[in-house]
Amino acid sequence: MFLNGMAKSWKFALLGGSALLVALTAQASADDFDLNALVEAAKKEPPVSVYSTTGKIVEQAKAFTAKYGVQATGTKANAASQLEMVVREAQAKNVQADVLQISDAAAGVAQLVPEGYVESWVPPDLADKIDPFYRDPLVISNEANVWAYNTEVYKSCPVKNIWELTEPKWKGKVAFQDPLGKASYVDWFNQMAMHADDKIAAAYKAQYGKDLVKDEDSATAMWVKALAANAPLLTDADEAAAQAVGAPNQKEPFVGLMSSAKFRDNQEAGTKLGLCTGLQPFAGWLYPSLGFIAKGTDSPNAAKLFIHYLLTEEGITPQAEDGKMSSNRDIKLPDSEPSGIGKVVDQMEPYDASSANDDWDARQDWQDFWRVNYKK
């Protein structure tokens, strides 16, 4: 039912074997790229419409307009709405959405790219600052879903290994969004099975001192099955999970999984969220937002300019304040980011877009698997 054991080694072998060629090509492209010429070309085009799953895009579009004199309008829209809009406009040959920042990587890669509805463009002058892992398709930023605990009750995270969350001690005391309503969760299951199953198995052995005996296709499936059977609290949004974990004045708070952006509630609402750093094998996972340009746009240069802007420190800062990490390695999270995720990003499981199509194909299987094994 599930795919697993696919390694990343082939990708890095290919990259290593052609590293000099890639570097020379990127340098040549960068030398040929003229940002000022792109700005002038963009000024001659109609206003550009930008859609993102974060409301910060409104602020970013206004700042872009002020900086370049190129009119941009930002609109918040969830991934499903963006997908439906792009398909409908492409089929009607009436493109209105010029730029997308979409957080459903699997759907974007599986539904939009093969049909030729969108294209991925990497600014040549920034290409060498973006890991090849994040160039095809272009990742604008990564957001972290992290395991969190209540700092008022515990001095440090009360669990050190994700397998502990399947034990009786934590029965009914783990909170996160319902995987049946949040596709990124089942994509995460598939990512673990395909790219990190050995780490899930190793974590089991580290916890219990023996090899995992599998009666499912993967160690990941075994962990997901055990977690589902341990009666986790399933929520319809991160806010409810954050409150279950971090609300003050609790005696036995939950441990939970949520967006690192919820840590701003520590400052704004007095919650007591802390990162479960050092958790084996991962303290959380990353999910990307992809940057696409709609094919058929009347403003191709303005669209490229906006993508370029999002990959600069000035452009991404409004999102970075919520913990979204730019794929441009030169850009760091601001000191004001409340979760501290930037210091432990190496403890997160990255999203590998090379298997996005597999994630899409496996969604229903993982949802069915969760549904069958979940117990309240």
Side-chain angles (χ1 to χ4, degrees):
M1 180 170 66
F2 303 118
L3 297 170
N4 60 57
M6 182 178 290
K8 297 177 185 176
S9 58
W10 63 269
K11 175 185 285 189
F12 293 108
L14 288 174
L15 290 172
S18 58
L20 180 59
L21 177 60
V22 170
L24 291 174
T25 301
Q27 184 61 49
S29 299
D31 290 342
D32 294 339
F33 179 75
D34 188 335
L35 180 59
N36 291 328
L38 183 63
V39 173
E40 292 307 310
K43 289 179 177 179
K44 299 174 184 177
E45 296 176 342
V48 64
S49 294
V50 185
Y51 289 80
S52 176
T53 47
T54 171
K56 295 294 182 71
I57 198 64
V58 177
E59 173 187 346
Q60 290 169 291
K62 289 179 180 178
F64 171 86
T65 298
K67 180 178 180 66
Y68 292 115
V70 176
Q71 184 64 44
T73 300
T75 302
K76 180 181 179 180
N78 63 34
S81 297
Q82 290 187 50
L83 289 163
E84 180 182 358
M85 176 176 55
V86 170
V87 172
R88 184 177 65 248
E89 292 178 359
Q91 291 175 342
K93 300 188 185 307
N94 181 28
V95 173
Q96 300 296 314
D98 305 290
V99 178
L100 305 175
Q101 187 184 0
I102 188 167
S103 60
D104 191 335
V109 170
Q111 292 192 299
L112 301 183
V113 175
E115 299 297 331
Y117 296 150
V118 297
E119 61 183 345
S120 181
W121 178 75
V122 179
D125 61 327
L126 300 178
D128 63 349
K129 302 177 186 297
I130 300 170
D131 194 295
F133 192 70
Y134 294 132
R135 292 185 204 165
D136 186 19
L138 174 67
V139 171
I140 297 295
S141 63
N142 284 290
E143 186 168 357
N145 259 30
V146 297
W147 290 104
Y149 70 101
N150 188 302
T151 58
E152 188 176 46
V153 175
Y154 301 109
K155 292 182 179 180
S156 61
C157 185
V159 294
K160 302 300 181 185
N161 189 306
I162 64 170
W163 284 97
E164 291 181 60
L165 301 172
T166 70
E167 297 174 358
K169 177 182 178 180
W170 291 99
K171 184 178 179 66
K173 299 299 291 182
V174 181
F176 50 86
Q177 286 198 59
D178 188 345
L180 300 183
K182 187 71 171 178
S184 60
Y185 275 71
V186 288
D187 290 349
W188 168 49
F189 298 160
N190 200 59
Q191 284 277 313
M192 283 193 291
M194 294 191 70
H195 304 296
D197 203 62
D198 57 338
K199 294 180 175 63
I200 306 300
Y204 180 92
K205 187 170 185 178
Q207 180 66 20
Y208 302 113
K210 58 183 179 181
D211 290 330
L212 175 65
V213 178
K214 293 185 290 186
D215 57 13
E216 298 293 343
D217 291 347
S218 64
T220 299
M222 293 290 291
W223 178 76
V224 170
K225 180 179 180 178
L227 182 66
N230 213 30
L233 172 66
L234 303 183
T235 69
D236 59 0
D238 275 343
E239 179 61 28
Q243 286 301 311
V245 174
N249 304 315
Q250 296 191 71
K251 291 184 178 180
E252 296 183 359
F254 288 68
V255 167
L257 189 61
M258 67 201 68
S259 168
S260 61
K262 296 310 301 177
F263 279 65
R264 63 175 175 246
D265 291 348
N266 286 353
Q267 301 169 344
E268 298 174 0
T271 54
K272 309 296 181 180
L273 296 171
L275 281 174
C276 279
T277 58
L279 190 65
Q280 295 299 317
F282 302 110
W285 47 282
L286 302 178
Y287 61 96
S289 66
L290 306 180
F292 285 132
I293 296 173
K295 286 190 177 180
T297 173
D298 291 333
S299 306
N301 293 296
K304 288 181 177 180
L305 185 62
F306 200 93
I307 290 289
H308 187 283
Y309 179 69
L310 288 177
L311 291 167
T312 65
E313 184 171 11
E314 179 182 356
I316 201 63
T317 288
Q319 295 185 32
E321 290 171 349
D322 286 341
K324 294 179 175 65
M325 295 165 279
S326 176
S327 61
N328 182 339
R329 68 172 68 93
D330 287 354
I331 301 174
K332 308 303 179 185
L333 288 175
D335 293 337
S336 59
E337 192 282 318
S339 75
I341 185 63
K343 298 176 182 178
V344 294
V345 68
D346 60 331
Q347 298 180 26
M348 302 293 125
E349 181 193 6
Y351 183 88
D352 189 337
S354 71
S355 64
N357 279 303
D358 297 295
D359 298 338
W360 175 258
D361 291 340
R363 275 185 179 179
Q364 189 62 57
D365 287 339
W366 280 110
Q367 288 173 335
D368 290 344
F369 186 72
W370 180 268
R371 186 181 292 109
V372 167
N373 289 289
Y374 175 64
K375 294 180 176 61
K376 294 184 179 180

